[in-house]
Amino acid sequence: MRKSGGVALARRIGRRVEALGRRARRSHRVAFVALMLVQLLISIASLIWMTFVPVSFLIVPLVVGGVLLRFGELVALTAITTTFGSYVVLSRGLTMPRIGFVLVIAVVGWIMITSAKVRSRLGVPGTRGESMLMELRDTLTAQGELPRLPPGWLVESWIQSAGASTFSGDFVVSTVHDDLLEVALVDVSGKGIDAGTRALLLSGAFGGLLGVVPVEEFLPSANRYIRRQEWDDDFATVVHVVLDLATGEFDVRTAGHPPAIQFDAWSGRWQTRDADGPLLGLVESPEFEVNHGQLKLGDALFLYSDGMVETPRQDIGRGTDRLAGHAERLVGHGFKGAARELVETAGGAGDDAAIVIIHRKAHA
């Protein structure tokens, strides 16, 4: 008896799931029928009570349909709205303002149809396209989280996109393995959503390479991956650091990227860690130089994108000096919270800006 009851329950659940699926598939159709009926009611009300129900109300359901409906349904709603609006307006006499209103409805419908066509080509009806973009942004942010380091070490990063965009072409990938910290700060060409979507693709690929391929093979492997994408005139710059958390020794390699900066706590001086290498994606078999160094107690290493140091009115060399000058004021605070402060104070407003700070504390 208990077994048969379980089977019956499973069947009821299955039928409920199927019903919900059918309802979801019909949701666009239901919305289309409802909006069409609303347009009909508005048109009738406007004919009867033209003083209280202006025909301009027809635009509101049309805009709502642009958000909810699929491409074909929106085309039909636009045609119906234009027909209803034309009949109501022109029934009161043929004048230029009324003809202009019919044109306004047609233009609004055309705008809604154009945006719906783009969503239809992407296969993401309604507001799902915007939701997917937000999910891509959140995924990129999550992939850039830095690992926890043992006592005595501080690592933090901050990224700011150009202008008011929520998508950045700069990203960070990192990992810790065998007492080694690997960090790569990447700057993808372009800005906005185009750069952000490429950054998402590359962050997943580059994050998979860290800790898997030998450290000296990371940049060549990343270069081969970009070349396989066959992007037109697109490239990326990278600064890659491998740090031994036991000794503080590190290697820096760059691919067309501004050099890392090291702060020497003993002398109070700032030193660039130059390591020449070509942009990723441009050369078939590039070679990347390596710069060896060591972080002693109190020292810090700064990785940053060109948006931190390059502006139309100054070269990277002066921008690097300016960045070091801003960072000098934060030495006494042990660089805690320095990444965000430096990006907000020194980052350029017209370009993506990113920074990673690795600090070996004077006292664990």
Side-chain angles (χ1 to χ4, degrees), residues 1 7 32 51 74 84 104 110 117 120 144 168 178 210 238 242 271 280 305 331-332 334:
M1 179 71 69
V7 172
F32 168 69
T51 304
L74 183 59
F84 287 173
V104 168
W110 177 79
K117 185 177 182 180
S120 177
S168 173
D178 302 326
L210 283 182
V238 184
V242 183
Q271 176 186 1
L280 292 188
S305 63
V331 172

Side-chain angles (χ1 to χ4, degrees), residues 133-164:
L133 289 176
M134 294 302 102
E135 290 171 6
L136 292 177
R137 181 199 62 187
D138 295 341
T139 300
L140 184 58
T141 301
Q143 289 178 346
E145 293 182 358
L146 296 168
R148 294 177 63 88
L149 298 187
W153 290 96
L154 169 71
V155 59
E156 59 179 48
S157 67
W158 195 261
I159 298 175
Q160 179 176 281
S161 57

Side-chain angles (χ1 to χ4, degrees), residues 31-54:
F32 168 69
V33 173
L35 290 173
M36 185 176 62
L37 291 176
V38 169
Q39 297 296 60
L40 178 60
L41 291 175
I42 292 175
S43 301
I44 295 174
S46 183
L47 284 171
I48 299 174
W49 304 292
M50 64 179 65
T51 304
F52 302 101
V53 184

Side-chain angles (χ1 to χ4, degrees), residues 312-324:
R313 297 183 179 180
Q314 69 178 18
D315 57 20
I316 290 182
R318 288 191 174 185
T320 302
D321 293 338
R322 181 173 59 89
L323 175 61

